[in-house]
């Protein structure tokens, strides 16, 4: 089977790896370079429950299942690529900064208990016993000792190697403009090659994994072309020196802090709806720096290495779009929003199953793109 | 006369221009590239009185005289170089953010009146009448309508052209390690050329204009080698869009804001004593962003273009070191600290006079480097 995948982020590469391994002829077409969209801008936390999703979350089961698949995914991807993913399980603290936060964090904790997720409620003092440089004003926290993180740069690097070793081809710097559909079926895509010349790529199946840039593709059925919007996140990296100031991931109301093995401390992330404006702003940087300072005051002293932004792809209902559209051979792996890294294993599995079987997998029954056509 | 100038910042280039114009054979030796030290990191305000210097300021007369010389300096430098300096006279507002600040700003105002400098005391409402986007909480301000600014990048560019047109030579990427002194007189300098090979430059007069890097030179008499320390300043540039958000320079207690014609809004500057550590820090960026937000709330919305640092050269007593040392033919143009751009004209005049006459000019009688030997 001849497959074209639009987008070399974690979604597109994961699906491409599975399909190439299953014997399909796979070509991944990438606008910029692998991971250049939301994937490598991401923090890499593997957390299925967050503040934003306490009330309703129809993808929760999918997230929990993806989380369960992560250890196996790491093992097989590291074996296939030879790249170490920095899959770390040092745990997470979800902290409250004051008594008002504490109520919200408490609801978060109760939700985790309800879901049977491993978490414990700790006092501020206990939290500082675990991470001594946390702010003395923190009244309480959730400790999630089993929480993992992964380095998104390593993940992309590994997926690129795995796709290519499985026989897939990745073309970077090409612009896909339109999906060719006739007789109710996808026939390929057209756009511009890396040399700027018009180009056409024929395919029996087209997988759309273009993230926020899905909005710029022509040829999607019905209203699907407008169903994904970009949600900007601003982030920065500090340098922990002379030694790490944090071991666990810490999530505070306005900011999360993620220590990496190489000495970086990643701060993220704002959430702004400004279309395709990818620029850093004074306000975004200010909120991250303030959030970090209130949570872990020593961050004030640390060198600033770099700041960047990413555009998260969010569907109109903020849930993933996975599987068959109403057009035969046109499949989506999109709208992963805040959970692209967490959902990488399940997206690869579910969407490749949709391609190979031609049917909507049960796990993603309610996440079909048809709901937004 | 054969002259070597160490350092192609505003001090070194200004002196070199004067000396080359007077017929000396001048060679400027620069560690990195012209202006790479404090000069192009500077904001370019030409303000002789600031919060930091209300109590004692033995260089005040020098600053006021330099300010008087700026218009003539601009005219002659623009004529000599053909480069427009963006010398702007849109004025300054020194604002208080709350009633506590207001007392300090009031003392600043009284000091200006005492010195006969043109300034008026305006209410918060009047200040917002002049700059409508200022914070509604500002209670009062000093308006200094005659205040000027200049673009330091243009100033360096103009000085480079002027030096070269006057016959001077600028060598970039060379490392001066030691001043050669024998028989009580400077004979030249030794170090490494741009090719990394050992090199020697003979001279009858050596002018030290090496900014904070003076500390790394060997061969200065007595304790002069340790008399200048680096004081880091962190800065950033925002983009004013779609239109300028400010016309005048605004100075608040923690931050100043400088609008440029090209649409940039420069925010400065922290003041930190960390040796030669030139890195940005989370705390430095945080203070600038907070200061700007409190002063001009709309800055929160603006794109962030760039952040950078500079090392100001501060003498032990924080005053300039201008003129003859105890070593014959060894002259200093250093320690300009926060006032390098303001003091550029007078430094060029006074230090070139010291070189040509061999005596200490009256204007800088009390600023001789000998006081710190």
């Amino acid at each position: 089977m001849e497959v074209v995948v639009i987008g070399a982020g974690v979604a597109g590469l994961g699906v491409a790896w599975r399909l190439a391994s299953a014997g399909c002829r796979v070509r991944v077409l990438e606008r910029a370079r692998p991971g250049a969209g939301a994937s490598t801008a991401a923090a890499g936390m593997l957390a299925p429950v967050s503040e934003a999703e306490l009330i309703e979350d129809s993808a929760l089961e999918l997230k929990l299942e993806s989380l369960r698949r992560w250890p196996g995914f790491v093992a097989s991807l590291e074996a296939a690529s030879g790249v170490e993913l920095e899959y770390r399980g040092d745990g997470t603290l979800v902290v409250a900064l004051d008594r008002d936060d504490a109520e919200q964090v408490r609801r978060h904790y109760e939700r985790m208990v309800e879901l049977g997720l491993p978490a414990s409620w700790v006092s501020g003092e206990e939290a500082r016993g675990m991470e001594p440089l946390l702010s003395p004003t923190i009244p309480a926290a959730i400790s999630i000792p089993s929480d993992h993180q992964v380095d998104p740069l390593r993940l992309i690097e590994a997926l690129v190697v795995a796709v290519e070793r499985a026989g897939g081809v990745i073309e970077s710097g090409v612009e896909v403009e339109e999906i060719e559909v006739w007789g109710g079926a996808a026939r390929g895509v057209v756009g511009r090659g890396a040399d700027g010349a018009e180009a056409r790529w024929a395919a029996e199946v087209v997988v759309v994994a273009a993230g926020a840039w899905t909005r710029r593709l022509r040829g999607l059925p019905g209203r699907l072309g407008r169903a994904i919007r970009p949600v900007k996140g601003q982030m920065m990296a500090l340098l922990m020196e002379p030694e790490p100031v944090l071991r666990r991931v810490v999530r505070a109301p306005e900011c999360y802090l993620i220590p990496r093995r190489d000495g970086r401390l990643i701060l993220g992330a704002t959430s702004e709806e400004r279309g395709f404006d990818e620029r850093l702003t004074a306000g975004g940087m200010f909120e991250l720096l303030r959030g970090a300072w209130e949570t872990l005051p020593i961050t004030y002293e640390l060198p600033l290495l770099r700041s960047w932004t990413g555009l998260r792809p969010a569907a109109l209902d903020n849930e993933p779009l996975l599987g068959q559209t109403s057009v035969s051979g046109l499949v989506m792996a999109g709208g992963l929003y805040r959970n692209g890294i967490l959902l990488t294993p399940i997206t690869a599995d579910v969407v490749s199953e949709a391609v190979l079987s031609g049917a909507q997998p049960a796990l993603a029954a309610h996440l079909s793109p048809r709901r937004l056509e």
Side-chain angles (χ1 to χ4, degrees), chain A:
Chain A
M1 197 186 298
E2 194 89 43
V3 181
V4 158
V5 177
I6 310 172
V10 287
L13 292 171
V15 173
W17 177 38
R18 286 276 181 273
L19 291 177
S21 302
C24 299
R25 286 191 303 279
V26 179
R27 182 172 296 270
V28 183
L29 302 177
E30 163 59 35
R31 185 182 60 86
R33 51 184 198 292
S39 298
T40 58
M45 289 179 294
L46 305 178
V49 177
S50 75
E51 314 293 310
E53 294 136 350
L54 284 187
I55 300 168
E56 51 174 338
D57 182 1
S58 63
L60 180 66
E61 210 24 74
L62 197 80
K63 290 184 201 168
L64 294 174
E65 181 55 29
S66 199
L67 187 64
R68 286 188 284 270
R69 294 188 188 188
W70 253 100
F73 183 80
V74 169
S76 64
L77 182 55
E78 289 189 343
S81 67
V83 175
E84 211 257 308
L85 294 184
E86 295 216 2
Y87 179 67
R88 275 176 74 165
D90 296 320
T92 294
L93 287 171
V94 180
V95 303
L97 294 180
D98 55 33
R99 304 237 153 252
D100 288 347
D101 289 349
E103 281 178 43
Q104 171 73 5
V105 174
R106 185 78 202 179
R107 280 194 294 278
H108 186 156
Y109 169 67
E110 284 158 6
R111 179 76 173 131
M112 292 192 72
V113 171
E114 199 180 296
L115 294 169
L117 294 169
S120 56
W121 184 255
V122 298
S123 68
E125 207 172 329
E126 287 166 318
R128 284 181 291 279
M130 298 162 82
E131 294 290 351
L133 298 173
L134 282 176
S135 167
T137 64
I138 286 173
I142 311 169
S143 169
I144 314 173
S146 61
D147 244 19
H148 278 69
Q149 57 154 303
V150 69
D151 184 339
L153 281 167
R154 300 297 194 97
L155 176 58
I156 286 289
E157 190 189 339
L159 285 168
V160 165
V161 174
V163 167
E164 291 179 342
R165 287 196 180 165
V169 172
I170 302 170
E171 283 188 58
S172 289
V174 303
E175 195 74 51
V176 176
E177 293 164 353
E178 186 165 0
I179 300 155
E180 281 194 323
V181 177
W182 71 82
R187 309 290 174 167
V189 301
V190 292
R192 292 183 181 280
D195 57 359
E198 283 182 32
R200 176 172 188 279
W201 295 267
E204 290 155 86
V205 173
V206 173
V207 177
V208 179
W213 288 267
T214 302
R215 208 180 178 84
R216 298 206 165 151
L217 288 176
R218 293 192 302 272
L220 285 160
R223 288 168 302 184
L224 214 44
R226 307 292 292 171
I228 294 179
R229 68 191 193 285
V231 179
K232 179 162 76 174
Q234 302 190 44
M235 306 192 59
M236 65 175 71
L238 309 183
L239 177 64
M240 300 189 285
E241 61 167 27
E243 54 197 22
V245 295
L246 202 63
R247 204 162 67 86
R248 293 162 185 79
V249 170
V250 171
R251 285 154 58 192
E254 300 294 332
C255 178
Y256 50 70
L257 303 94
I258 300 176
R260 293 258 203 262
R261 291 232 166 88
D262 61 10
R264 284 178 303 153
L265 181 67
I266 311 296
L267 308 184
T270 65
S271 187
E272 301 151 83
E273 311 230 354
R274 303 261 181 138
F276 284 91
D277 184 342
E278 294 182 77
R279 296 175 298 179
L280 296 166
T281 67
M285 295 292 100
F286 178 54
E287 294 300 348
L288 294 182
L289 292 164
R290 178 164 64 179
W293 174 61
E294 287 175 350
T295 309
L296 194 75
I298 197 152
T299 52
Y300 193 93
E301 306 297 327
L302 301 182
L304 170 62
L305 294 175
R306 200 168 77 83
S307 306
W308 65 93
T309 67
L311 297 178
R312 306 176 188 92
L316 288 175
D317 57 6
N318 295 338
E319 301 296 354
L321 293 162
L322 301 178
Q324 296 288 343
T325 66
S326 64
V327 174
S328 169
L330 182 57
V331 178
M332 291 202 69
L336 302 188
Y337 198 17
R338 305 173 183 278
N339 299 290
I341 307 295
L342 171 63
L343 292 174
T344 299
I346 199 85
T347 300
D349 292 346
V350 160
V351 176
S352 60
E353 186 189 332
V355 170
L356 296 170
S357 71
Q360 182 71 4
L363 252 172
H366 58 301
L367 297 171
S368 159
R370 298 191 194 197
R371 74 182 188 276
L372 295 179
E373 284 188 16

